[in-house]
Amino acid sequence: MNARHNPSEERLLAYAAGTLSPPEAVVVATHLALRDESDAWVRRLQAVGGAVLDDLTPVALSGDALDRALARVEVDGGEAVAPPPLNDMPELPEPLRRYALGPWRWAGPGIQVRDVHAPRDGDCRVILLKIEPGRSTPNHTHGGVELTCVLSGAYATDEGRFDAGDFEEADEAILHRPRVVSDEPCLCVAALDGQIRLDGWLGKLIQPFVRL
Ligand code: ZN
């Protein structure tokens, strides 16, 4: 059996504390939906965090705190808001089912990309990538952090094989060329900051045509 690739502890800690950027949190939540052991770890962490908060000494509220809280309740109306409708990909894990999806776009030979309309953080946003068997992405580095979770199929890099539920963290310092090694296409969700940067003369030539 292959070694499992999980998010770093720093990433999981930030997720548990609610300080991860929204696009990154979407990809981590997807990984947690697919991996029970990471999910259990984060739940334990959140329970510890809650216990620490319970132990803190209460601070006196400002005089108008109650008025402000009530004003907020009136604005909200207290009515339940219906969740957005499910999207057209029932094969997606639950954390991704209620985001609207853009059309599939060509992003290179055997590579298709689709925008996930989850909250952005500056240039960082969520995309779905579908790569055909035997195909690879161009050799590339990154404008910022790239978090990837495999949904189905598998790809390989110098770091090993990434199967469904596996999580890869890359950034400006990582040069890689994921290649699909499964018989079925590899479907991934990724939080990508900026554009990938293609390596080599061919990469520089096709860079303007590859927009993820
Ligand atoms: Zn990459």
Side-chain angles (χ1 to χ4, degrees):
M1 188 180 144
N2 290 292
R4 291 187 155 187
H5 300 272
N6 292 324
S8 63
E9 287 192 358
E10 292 75 18
R11 195 80 60 190
L12 289 176
L13 274 167
Y15 177 83
T19 57
L20 213 54
S21 77
E24 294 182 0
V26 168
V27 180
V28 172
T30 303
H31 163 80
L32 296 179
L34 296 172
R35 281 288 157 81
D36 289 343
E37 68 266 26
S38 291
D39 193 46
W41 195 85
V42 167
R43 281 172 196 276
R44 270 203 306 280
L45 213 59
Q46 283 170 329
V48 170
V52 170
L53 286 178
D54 284 346
D55 285 348
L56 291 178
T57 314
V59 186
L61 292 173
S62 63
D64 62 346
L66 181 62
D67 287 344
R68 281 189 287 129
L70 286 175
R72 208 176 307 154
V73 169
E74 276 164 29
V75 169
D76 289 348
E79 286 171 31
V81 179
L86 297 171
N87 58 37
D88 64 5
M89 291 186 72
E91 66 269 43
L92 295 180
E94 189 271 329
L96 298 173
R97 278 312 309 284
R98 292 193 186 274
Y99 291 118
L101 304 171
W104 283 109
R105 295 180 281 121
W106 184 90
I111 305 174
Q112 285 185 293
V113 63
R114 193 173 192 187
D115 294 322
V116 177
H117 295 152
R120 294 176 65 106
D121 179 39
D123 283 339
C124 188
R125 74 280 181 201
V126 182
I127 57 172
L128 290 174
L129 271 164
K130 189 163 70 176
I131 307 176
E132 295 300 317
R135 294 286 190 175
S136 31
T137 72
N139 204 23
H140 67 271
T141 178
H142 312 86
V145 169
E146 177 192 68
L147 303 183
T148 306
C149 179
V150 179
L151 304 176
S152 58
Y155 70 79
T157 70
D158 292 346
E159 300 301 314
R161 179 182 163 114
F162 292 78
D163 287 285
D166 277 331
F167 191 94
E168 186 181 11
E169 306 191 13
D171 59 21
E172 300 93 325
I174 301 280
L175 178 70
H176 65 176
R177 186 182 191 191
R179 181 173 55 85
V180 174
V181 291
S182 50
D183 294 334
E184 57 173 320
C186 183
L187 182 65
C188 299
V189 62
L192 187 64
D193 193 7
Q195 287 290 327
I196 60 170
R197 295 185 184 147
L198 306 187
D199 188 53
W201 67 270
L202 182 62
K204 292 197 169 53
L205 197 68
I206 64 172
Q207 176 84 64
F209 304 100
V210 178
R211 305 294 299 173
L212 293 188

